[in-house]
């Protein structure tokens, strides 16, 4: 993986060039767009949510029969340490003028959200587990479509 950048609405955002991650993001966003397009309101806007969960791999404690009984005997378990929920509104402009108006309105909102993410990430670091692997991505993750609120109180949420 290598760092790169992406231009979105006159804002340069950092990205990691990883084809597998890009494919996963495109798949989930496509699924959300299809879902929201099928439930679009007469006013042209539908809302949904993407969730990103980050995990730490930990060695399982010795003892107990949990893995043996469930058939998932492994030496590691994944513990969720952070959840991001991204609220998405899909709008369908009717004219080119309306599309340009929406783009002009969204550019400052995207910039505010990006700066909010930077502030939170720089401020709240104590919960991030140590990197204990030389893998390109030390923290497993999953991207969920319209995630349920079933996260325990031990996770830190970011809501954009």
């Amino acid at each position: 993986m290598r760092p790169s950048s992406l231009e979105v609405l006159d804002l340069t955002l950092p990205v990691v060039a990883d084809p597998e991650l890009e494919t996963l993001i495109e798949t989930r966003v496509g699924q959300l767009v299809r879902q929201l397009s099928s439930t679009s309101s007469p006013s042209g806007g539908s809302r949904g949510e993407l969730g990103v969960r980050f995990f730490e791999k930990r060695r399982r404690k010795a003892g107990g029969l949990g893995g043996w009984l469930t058939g998932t005997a492994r030496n590691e378990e994944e513990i969720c340490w952070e959840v991001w929920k991204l609220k998405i509104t899909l709008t369908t402009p009717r004219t080119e003028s309306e599309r340009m108006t929406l783009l002009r309105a969204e550019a400052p909102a995207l910039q505010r959200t990006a700066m909010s993410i930077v502030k939170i990430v720089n401020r709240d670091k104590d919960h991030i587990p140590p990197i204990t692997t030389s893998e390109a991505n030390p923290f497993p993750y999953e991207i969920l479509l319209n995630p349920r609120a079933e996260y325990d109180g031990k996770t830190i949420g970011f809501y954009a």
Side-chain angles (χ1 to χ4, degrees):
M1 287 193 255
R2 66 185 196 293
S4 188
S5 63
L6 176 68
E7 292 287 326
V8 180
L9 298 175
D10 295 330
L11 183 64
T12 303
L13 299 171
V15 297
V16 174
D18 178 4
E20 186 178 316
L21 177 59
E22 289 175 23
T23 299
L24 177 60
I25 291 170
E26 288 172 7
T27 299
R28 292 294 185 266
V29 169
Q31 290 170 337
L32 183 63
V33 167
R34 282 190 297 281
Q35 179 186 3
L36 295 179
S37 295
S38 69
T39 61
S40 184
S41 69
S43 63
S46 296
R47 294 182 182 191
E49 195 171 84
L50 289 175
V52 183
R53 293 176 26 156
F54 297 93
F55 298 91
E56 170 189 14
K57 289 183 182 179
R58 288 189 191 164
R59 286 208 181 287
R60 285 191 193 272
K61 294 180 180 173
L65 298 174
W68 181 74
L69 291 174
T70 61
T72 59
R74 298 184 318 184
N75 288 341
E76 293 183 331
E77 63 183 331
E78 291 183 346
I79 307 295
C80 181
W81 57 270
E82 184 159 297
V83 177
W84 291 8
K85 289 185 178 180
L86 307 167
K87 295 179 186 228
I88 310 293
T89 302
L90 177 67
T91 57
T92 309
R94 290 173 273 238
T95 65
E96 183 62 21
S97 172
E98 193 174 296
R99 186 179 83 77
M100 294 306 294
T101 300
L102 284 169
L103 286 175
R104 280 193 299 274
E106 289 306 314
L110 177 62
Q111 186 160 14
R112 281 191 307 275
T113 300
M115 293 310 295
S116 178
I117 290 170
V118 169
K119 267 193 231 175
I120 291 169
V121 168
N122 284 331
R123 182 189 68 210
D124 299 332
K125 298 178 188 177
D126 294 343
H127 68 287
I128 300 174
I131 295 175
T132 59
T133 180
S134 60
E135 294 176 29
N137 180 14
F139 301 117
Y141 57 86
E142 66 181 351
I143 300 175
L144 305 168
L145 185 64
N146 292 314
R148 293 187 187 92
E150 55 193 38
Y151 310 115
D152 62 26
K154 298 175 190 167
T155 58
I156 294 195
F158 172 76
Y159 305 93

